[in-house]
Amino acid sequence: HIVNRIMNLHAPEWSGEVRNITYSADGKSVSVVYRVTLYGTDAEIHRESTGTASTTEEGYGDPVQKAEAMAFRRACARFGLGLHLYHEDMV
């Protein structure tokens, strides 16, 4: 939710989409490719990343949701957004 807030505050003209969902051959994991697009006055900028989650672990949310959230955070990080979240213990 924090990265989503950052996007809405600093780049309100953005969109995101799931580009691909792939299950591993053994069915034990799922990978999601997510694209974040920022819209400027004369161009669009895209960043994509992947996220992978286990299909056998229990917890909050289904595996596709977990993988999508991971891919979204990583795609935003490629824009430099939310990088501080990865290094909170170093502050």
Side-chain angles (χ1 to χ4, degrees):
H1 300 288
I2 294 171
V3 176
N4 201 330
R5 285 188 207 137
I6 292 169
M7 292 290 286
N8 289 336
L9 179 64
H10 295 288
E13 296 295 324
W14 72 275
S15 67
E17 66 177 306
V18 172
R19 304 280 287 168
N20 192 22
I21 300 173
T22 306
Y23 286 86
S24 63
D26 61 6
K28 292 185 179 181
S29 67
V30 60
S31 295
V32 172
V33 176
Y34 197 89
R35 174 184 276 189
V36 173
T37 303
L38 300 181
Y39 300 95
T41 55
D42 60 348
E44 297 177 3
I45 302 170
H46 309 283
R47 296 292 184 268
E48 289 186 1
S49 195
T50 60
T52 302
S54 170
T55 58
T56 59
E57 287 182 21
E58 294 187 22
Y60 183 76
D62 68 58
V64 174
Q65 288 175 323
K66 292 177 187 178
E68 180 181 342
M70 181 185 296
F72 169 71
R73 289 190 305 269
R74 289 177 173 175
C76 290
R78 289 184 176 205
F79 282 114
L81 300 172
L83 291 177
H84 68 285
L85 298 172
Y86 291 93
H87 302 288
E88 286 182 340
D89 58 332
M90 298 177 78
V91 178

